[in-house]
Amino acid sequence: MNKGKLIILAAPSGSGKSTLAKMLFDDFENLKFSVSATTRSPREGEEDGVHYHFLNSEEFQQKIEEQDFLEWEEFYSGTRYGTLRSEVDKKLKTGYFILLDIDVKGAVNIKQIYGEDCLSLFIQPPSLKVLKQRLEDRGTETEQSLGLRLERASEELEYTDRFDQIIINDDLETAYAQLKHTVTKFMNQK
Ligand code: 5GP
């Protein structure tokens, strides 16, 4: 059986990353989602164990101490997010490709661990102005959390040169065509 590999989609939130990820899952049956852990509350429609493993601060801290995370980050006033070692290892062993939807620093850390077995992609919004509009349209943010996300986004844009490839999401269909091409090529590499 082929050894599985990792594909990371990193982007400031509101870049259209989740939509692009959904499109990939529809096209690639051999692609599985790495369900991260987080201490943030579920949004409407989000399910525990499907979108995230929703943990309280104590549970998350315990997992840090037990070294259950490949990487974890804390942002947005204390909210933590982390990639579980067990999620990745279990799916890799069965030969699947694994999609990680994680932040930019987490992506750089995972790429360092997995090297050639990992394709790191940065989904870039056309501009911070467009990003702000998308987040406002999504309607999930308070004024304060919107400000924090935008601040973080401008920091994240400075990391783009650490990625294997940048995909600019101006027009969704164009961005997806580029993404699909890159992913297909990576999957077919021996
Ligand atoms: P959201 O709250 O919008 O679901 O996610 C906020 C940010 O956290 C997104 O950029 C998302 O990709 C990132 N994120 C989700 N899971 C992880 C993770 O396991 N590790 C890291 N480093 N970031 C994550």
Side-chain angles (χ1 to χ4, degrees):
M1 183 181 294
N2 290 334
K3 191 157 75 89
K5 292 185 191 174
L6 307 183
I7 296 165
I8 306 178
L9 288 192
S13 68
S15 308
K17 182 175 54 169
S18 310
T19 309
L20 289 167
K22 272 195 207 103
M23 293 166 89
L24 282 177
F25 287 121
D26 286 344
D27 274 340
F28 296 95
E29 274 181 15
N30 55 346
L31 189 63
K32 301 282 163 195
F33 182 57
S34 163
V35 183
S36 291
T38 183
T39 59
R40 85 150 161 74
S41 316
R43 297 193 187 118
E44 208 181 311
E46 283 184 337
E47 276 178 58
D48 188 34
V50 177
H51 298 90
Y52 280 106
H53 298 287
F54 293 100
L55 306 180
N56 62 36
S57 301
E58 290 73 32
E59 289 166 334
F60 199 100
Q61 184 59 34
Q62 194 178 347
K63 289 202 182 295
I64 294 174
E65 283 161 23
E66 289 171 359
Q67 305 196 334
D68 288 345
F69 290 113
L70 281 169
E71 62 75 38
W72 64 272
E73 295 285 333
E74 178 169 313
F75 37 93
Y76 308 137
S77 14
T79 308
R80 291 172 165 189
Y81 295 83
T83 306
L84 291 162
R85 200 181 290 279
S86 56
E87 276 284 324
V88 173
D89 286 350
K90 186 174 70 192
K91 288 171 184 163
L92 273 185
K93 273 195 197 122
T94 47
Y96 285 114
F97 287 86
I98 302 168
L99 189 84
L100 295 99
D101 172 345
I102 62 178
D103 94 305
V104 169
K105 286 186 193 154
V108 170
N109 290 334
I110 296 274
K111 175 71 188 175
Q112 250 166 16
I113 302 173
Y114 288 93
E116 295 288 294
D117 287 334
C118 173
L119 174 69
S120 64
L121 302 172
F122 189 95
I123 310 296
Q124 189 172 327
S127 68
L128 285 172
K129 197 170 154 219
V130 171
L131 188 67
K132 179 167 183 267
Q133 189 62 50
R134 286 185 188 163
L135 284 169
E136 282 172 354
D137 293 348
R138 194 168 80 177
T140 54
E141 307 307 316
T142 61
E143 204 174 312
Q144 195 198 11
S145 73
L146 178 73
L148 287 170
R149 279 177 192 258
L150 288 173
E151 212 173 285
R152 189 175 172 86
S154 73
E155 282 169 30
E156 288 182 329
L157 288 170
E158 288 170 21
Y159 283 81
T160 48
D161 60 347
R162 313 270 294 266
F163 282 76
D164 292 327
Q165 198 170 326
I166 300 168
I167 292 172
I168 298 177
N169 187 11
D170 187 358
D171 169 68
L172 186 67
E173 295 306 321
T174 310
Y176 184 66
Q178 198 188 346
L179 178 62
K180 188 174 172 183
H181 175 78
T182 306
V183 166
T184 305
K185 208 167 123 196
F186 177 69
M187 284 182 169
N188 290 329
Q189 266 167 17
K190 289 281 169 262

